[in-house]
């Protein structure tokens, strides 16, 4: 059976954390583009926008349920200039976030509408996690310098 107050609390926690992650991705997009990795910068800028779209959907759901949206503080997070270190950290956040989402979905607190919204968000998060995992596997296979060189080559090929 769903629990409206717990649903609102969970959605607020997601709004708070996801809006901070979105801003972090926006920062990383600027850093990576500034380092010359434009496609990676574009990827994370797009990802940040996608995350804010989910934040807005979750805020709308809080309001639909009669809750109040809060702007809550978040701890400062590291900013990375090392691309692989960032992907590793982002992968870890995805794994932890997906575990949290699965726990919430299995708890039975969500009504059908919120549950369906969470399923769409979970699918998106899993796709992001798999992309990061693929990049890290590729980096291990070919080495960090070759991985970074490949990113630059792909950027130059796309620019032609």
């Amino acid at each position: 059976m769903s629990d409206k107050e717990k649903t609102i609390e969970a959605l607020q926690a997601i709004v708070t954390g996801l809006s901070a992650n979105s801003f972090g991705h926006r920062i990383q997009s600027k850093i990576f583009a500034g380092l010359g990795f434009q496609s990676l910068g574009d990827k994370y800028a797009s990802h940040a926008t996608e995350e804010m779209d989910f934040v807005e959907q979750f805020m709308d759901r809080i309001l639909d349920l009669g809750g109040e949206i809060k702007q809550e503080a978040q701890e400062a997070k590291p900013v990375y200039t090392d691309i692989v270190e960032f992907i590793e950290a982002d992968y870890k956040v995805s794994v932890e976030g997906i575990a949290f989402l699965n726990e919430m979905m299995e708890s039975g607190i969500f009504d059908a509408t919120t549950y369906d919204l969470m399923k769409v968000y979970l699918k998106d998060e899993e796709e992001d996690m798999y992309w990061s995992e693929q990049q890290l596997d590729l980096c291990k296979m070919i080495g960090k310098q070759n991985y970074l060189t490949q990113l630059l080559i792909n950027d130059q090929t796309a620019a032609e």
Side-chain angles (χ1 to χ4, degrees):
M1 174 176 269
S2 67
D3 181 326
K4 189 163 71 166
E5 290 307 311
K6 286 184 180 177
T7 296
I8 291 168
E9 276 181 35
L11 290 171
Q12 180 61 56
I14 294 167
V15 164
T16 299
L18 188 56
S19 59
N21 284 348
S22 175
F23 189 65
H25 284 129
R26 180 77 61 197
I27 290 169
Q28 290 301 151
S29 78
K30 295 294 185 185
I31 290 170
F32 296 153
L35 292 172
F37 296 91
Q38 189 60 51
S39 64
L40 199 58
D42 292 346
K43 186 230 179 314
Y44 282 109
S46 174
H47 186 58
T49 299
E50 185 178 84
E51 288 172 322
M52 285 308 294
D53 289 345
F54 277 110
V55 167
E56 291 199 20
Q57 291 177 58
F58 294 135
M59 288 190 301
D60 287 342
R61 190 68 191 137
I62 289 169
L63 294 174
D64 289 346
L65 293 169
E68 292 182 19
I69 301 168
K70 301 172 190 159
Q71 183 174 358
E72 299 174 321
Q74 280 285 296
E75 288 183 31
K77 300 207 170 132
V79 175
Y80 297 84
T81 55
D82 184 298
I83 291 168
V84 176
E85 282 182 22
F86 174 72
I87 295 173
E88 288 170 343
D90 201 44
Y91 175 76
K92 183 179 177 189
V93 168
S94 290
V95 169
E96 292 170 359
I98 288 169
F100 171 77
L101 292 173
N102 280 322
E103 186 179 308
M104 289 292 103
M105 292 176 74
E106 291 170 6
S107 72
I109 65 169
F110 296 138
D111 58 274
T113 302
T114 304
Y115 189 85
D116 287 346
L117 177 58
M118 296 303 291
K119 282 191 337 188
V120 173
Y121 176 56
L122 179 61
K123 182 177 186 257
D124 182 72
E125 283 302 300
E126 286 176 341
E127 289 170 1
D128 295 336
M129 180 190 69
Y130 294 139
W131 183 88
S132 295
E133 186 175 54
Q134 179 186 41
Q135 299 309 299
L136 293 171
D137 289 346
L138 182 60
C139 187
K140 285 177 188 168
M141 282 191 297
I142 66 175
K144 183 177 179 176
Q145 293 308 315
N146 289 333
Y147 173 75
L148 296 174
T149 300
Q150 188 63 44
L151 288 176
L152 289 173
I153 290 169
N154 290 344
D155 277 356
Q156 294 199 343
T157 303
E160 293 176 355

